[in-house]
């Protein structure tokens, strides 16, 4: 996978952080076209640059909270994940990406003051020993797409390995695993791949490596001793979707050892209504809106309930035929859908958190072990 | 009819025009040499020209007024570059009206020497109009379109859009900028408030054949704004799913019959059309709704009892509403409910029992 970055914007307050220097050094020939101040930065450079996009990388000093719980909603069962904010947007251009509606511009931002804020994050984790922190960096960006530039893996693996009650999940659609493979520890690290059917991957996940490449990378990580996770999210109803998803499941069998998979999540495509016109404009040939969507209890559009249950039930059946103990769970679903498609329910978000915490303990052992 | 003699040149002070002109006296713009001149009507261009911001107006009212009391406010004109004739800066409707009345000469203000750039002419006309009337949506599109090549986007968004009563929102601006390119009949409907902004936005994304066909449906079935939204949203989804244009989709026999061969009155045909589209777009949901209706009908609920499903069956469970006159009637109805054996079989709405 080639990262095509044509220009860099650097906030003045950000330029002296080690990550900023590292990115500029590793970026080699990427020109820094604008240095701006924190205040009114966008306004300043927007007047100079007529167009920014996925080829533009902005380095900033992030003023917000780096570690935040996944917002979830009270209407659906949430996994109780903690989001580690390391940047926004990524070089991939998936048609269904919700970030298109979150951010008006789709240039990438890296929070280069991450290392300087690790002590704050460490304090939060270390002072709550009774809790297990399942942390992920893949909420607002791909966890590994920019790793060759940013060195996130070097920084974060070393940080997490010192924590007794935290695991860090790198969630990706890429094969950028070199940085991770070079790290000395596997403790508390989960590398997860977002997967879909071959036709959805080819048609809707523009710029992402093929499923085979992703799974080759996953296999290499398993062979190197890493724990792996899988995410079938978003599941998309498309022509022959059953056959199509089975093709992916057959690839899983070919590449991966299911005993070293900590969890597999299933989530059906859902979106804020405001995303649709944006996607229609940016990806006019998309098929992601072809299904029957209704307004969910959280105000997002989601497939009509029996369709979701059918998809989950099908995936569950096929995945369990492969291996019984995959740590299957649903992302943002109701108790009813859980019971009718998975045969059981954690009942509440707390219940799902406990279930996933148990998977962590099963794979990494209890704190202090 | 009476007309006025040319008056002596006057000095006009226009306040509060921060973007207007270079200014000789602080924030006050002085228009000098706005000579009043009598111009042959034939020498004034008939076409709207580059500064016009009038669309879908009723010339009759204005012509009647001028006929009765004369032309109170002279149009503002500039000499054409080639030196032949004049172009209207402000007062295009007045010029058309006096021409329609057969006036051979019109008293105009020639501002060729006092205002010099296209932007200044445009803003001059804008403020002249703003002082006396509100713009319709097509006129707003014309104004924004004319400002667009002359003024930075940021300024259009922050200053001109609020001036026109529009939000400072780039996607909204994009919609208005494309309004002048729409077919005349569509623009007229938009100007008259018969088409919603959302409908216009959807129409702009279609090819011209589809635009005119959709407009035909909307105008013939007289869809209200909410119906327009449903119609367009479902239509676009279905056409995209089938990989054909909206025009081609509407030509399908199963739909076109609603328009070509209506068996009911217009509101009923409009409703039927939307129902048909809804069934095509949401076949499983529609089926579930039908099954649920049938299941409830088979229950023979006592009078005043209504069994309701949650919106789209998304939330779990159902809701039973019982209307009653007094405690006795409630008791009777509750007993009747308890005796309905099929109630025990009420399950998921989308499951059809053999």
């Amino acid at each position: 996978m080639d990262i095509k970055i044509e220009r860099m914007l650097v906030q003045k307050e950000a330029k002296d952080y080690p990550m900023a220097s590292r990115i500029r050094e590793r970026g080699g020939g990427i020109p820094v076209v604008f240095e701006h101040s924190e205040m009114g930065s966008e306004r300043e450079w927007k007047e100079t640059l007529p167009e920014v996009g996925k080829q533009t990388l902005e380095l900033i000093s992030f003023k917000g909270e780096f570690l935040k719980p996944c917002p979830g909603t009270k209407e659906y069962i949430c996994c109780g994940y903690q989001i580690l904010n390391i940047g926004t947007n990524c070089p991939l251009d998936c048609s269904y990406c919700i970030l298109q509606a979150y951010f008006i511009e789709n240039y990438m931002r890296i929070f280069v003051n991450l290392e300087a804020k690790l002590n704050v994050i460490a304090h939060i984790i270390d002072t709550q020993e009774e809790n297990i922190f399942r942390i992920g960096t893949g909420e607002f960006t791909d966890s590994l797409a920019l790793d060759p530039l940013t060195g996130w893996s070097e920084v974060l693996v070393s940080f997490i390995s010192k924590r007794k009650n935290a695991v860090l999940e790198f969630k990706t659609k890429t094969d950028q695993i070199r940085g991770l493979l070079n790290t000395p520890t596997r403790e508390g690290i989960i590398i997860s791949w977002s997967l879909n059917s071959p036709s959805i991957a080819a048609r809707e996940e523009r710029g992402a490596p093929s499923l085979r490449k992703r799974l080759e990378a996953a296999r290499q990580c398993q062979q190197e001793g890493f724990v792996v996770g899988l995410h079938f999210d978003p599941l998309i109803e498309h022509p022959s979707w059953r056959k199509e998803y089975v093709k992916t499941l057959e690839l899983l069998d070919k590449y991966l050892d299911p005993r070293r998979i900590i969890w597999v999540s299933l989530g059906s495509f859902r979106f804020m209504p405001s995303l649709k016109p944006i996607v229609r404009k940016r990806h006019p040939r998309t098929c992601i809106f072809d299904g029957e969507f209704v307004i969910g209890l959280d105000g997002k559009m989601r497939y009509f309930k029996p369709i979701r249950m059918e998809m989950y039930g099908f995936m569950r059946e096929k995945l369990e035929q492969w291996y019984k103990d995959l740590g299957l769970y649903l992302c943002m679903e109701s108790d009813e859908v859980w019971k009718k498609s998975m045969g059981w329910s954690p009942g509440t978000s707390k219940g799902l958190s406990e279930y996933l915490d148990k998977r962590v303990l099963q794979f990494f052992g209890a704190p202090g072990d | 009819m009476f007309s006025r003699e040319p008056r002596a040149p006057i000095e006009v002070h226009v306040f509060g025009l921060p973007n207007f002109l270079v200014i000789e006296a602080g924030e006050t713009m002085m228009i000098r040499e706005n000579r009043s001149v009598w111009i042959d009507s034939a020498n004034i261009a008939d076409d709207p020209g580059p500064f016009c911001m009038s669309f879908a107006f009723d010339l009759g009212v204005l012509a009647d007024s001028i006929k009765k009391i004369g032309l109170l406010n002279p149009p503002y004109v500039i000499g054409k570059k080639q030196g032949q004739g004049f172009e209207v800066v402000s007062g295009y409707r007045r010029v058309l009206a006096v021409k329609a009345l057969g006036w051979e000469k019109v008293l105009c203000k020639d501002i060729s020497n006092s205002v010099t750039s296209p932007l200044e002419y445009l803003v001059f006309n804008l403020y002249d109009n703003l002082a006396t009337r509100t713009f319709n949506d097509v006129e707003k599109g014309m104004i924004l379109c004319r400002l667009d090549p002359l003024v930075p986007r940021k300024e259009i968004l922050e200053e001109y859009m609020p001036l026109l009563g529009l939000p400072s929102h780039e996607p909204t601006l994009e919609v208005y900028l494309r309004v002048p390119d729409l077919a005349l009949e569509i623009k007229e409907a938009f100007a008259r408030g018969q088409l919603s902004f959302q409908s216009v936005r959807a129409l702009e994304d279609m090819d011209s054949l589809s635009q005119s066909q959709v407009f035909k449906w909307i105008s013939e079935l007289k869809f209200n704004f909410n119906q327009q939204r449903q119609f367009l949203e479902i239509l676009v989804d279905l056409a995209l799913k089938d990989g054909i244009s909206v025009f081609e989709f509407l030509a399908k026999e199963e739909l076109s019959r609603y328009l070509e061969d209506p068996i009911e009155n217009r509101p009923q045909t409009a409703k039927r059309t939307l129902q048909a589209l809804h069934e095509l777009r949401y076949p499983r949901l529609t089926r579930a709704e039908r099954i649920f209706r049938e299941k409830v009908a088979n229950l023979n609920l006592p009078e005043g009892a209504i069994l309701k499903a949650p919106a789209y069956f998304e939330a779990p469970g159902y809701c039973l509403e019982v209307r009653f006159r007094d405690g006795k009637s409630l008791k009777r109805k509750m007993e009747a409910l308890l005796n309905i054996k099929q109630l025990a079989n009420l399950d998921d709405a989308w499951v059809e029992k053999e």
Side-chain angles (χ1 to χ4, degrees), chain A residues 149-266:
Chain A
L149 274 179
T150 59
W152 282 323
S153 55
E154 302 157 44
V155 176
L156 294 174
V157 168
S158 140
F159 170 75
I160 283 295
S161 66
K162 291 174 196 146
R163 314 267 84 78
K164 290 176 183 171
N165 56 330
V167 290
L168 178 65
E169 182 176 28
F170 289 92
K171 214 184 270 187
T172 187
K173 282 193 194 87
T174 75
D175 52 2
Q176 303 288 339
I177 52 171
R178 192 176 303 164
L180 275 170
L181 296 180
N182 288 336
T183 57
T185 178
R186 274 66 181 132
E187 198 54 36
I189 301 300
I190 301 155
I191 314 171
S192 289
W193 271 268
S194 178
L195 301 173
N196 221 302
S197 80
S199 60
I200 292 293
R203 185 174 172 172
E204 307 290 348
E205 296 176 347
R206 199 193 297 170
S210 67
L211 287 176
R212 276 180 194 279
K213 282 192 174 168
R214 290 180 223 178
L215 290 173
E216 274 168 16
R219 172 165 64 186
Q220 209 178 339
C221 286
Q222 277 196 332
Q223 286 168 347
E224 293 280 342
F226 282 103
V227 168
V228 162
L230 301 174
H231 298 284
F232 285 93
D233 194 351
L235 286 172
I236 291 171
E237 193 194 24
H238 56 293
S240 308
W241 63 267
R242 289 179 191 80
K243 278 186 192 167
E244 284 287 315
Y245 280 111
V246 164
K247 284 182 196 167
T248 304
L249 301 182
E250 284 167 357
L251 282 179
L252 289 186
D253 184 43
K254 193 171 164 191
Y255 284 95
L256 297 180
D257 176 358
R259 293 166 303 172
R260 297 285 295 156
I261 293 175
I262 186 167
W263 49 55
V264 179
S265 77
L266 303 174

Side-chain angles (χ1 to χ4, degrees), chain A residues 47 76 276 280-281 289-294 297 302 304-310 336 340, chain B residues 154 158 178 205 233 236-237 240-241 281-285 288 312-316 348 350:
Chain A
E47 282 168 10
Y76 297 104
K276 192 170 171 183
R280 284 272 190 237
K281 204 148 252 175
F289 300 118
D290 286 357
E292 287 182 59
F293 292 95
V294 298
L297 303 175
R302 40 177 71 217
F304 179 40
K305 196 160 62 181
I307 299 173
R308 305 202 308 267
M309 296 196 310
E310 191 182 334
E336 181 196 8
K340 288 179 179 167
Chain B
K154 190 170 153 266
E158 291 176 6
R178 292 195 285 166
D205 290 334
E233 199 176 301
V236 169
D237 278 354
L240 283 169
K241 189 177 174 185
R281 179 68 185 88
Y282 304 103
R284 293 183 64 168
L285 174 62
Y312 313 110
F313 305 103
E314 179 63 21
D348 287 338
W350 50 89

Side-chain angles (χ1 to χ4, degrees), chain A residues 314-331:
Chain A
F314 177 82
M315 293 299 285
R316 172 201 165 200
E317 183 193 329
K318 297 294 169 192
L319 282 161
E320 287 185 347
Q321 278 170 15
W322 180 43
Y323 189 66
K324 272 280 177 197
D325 189 24
L326 283 169
L328 283 181
Y329 71 96
L330 299 181
C331 185

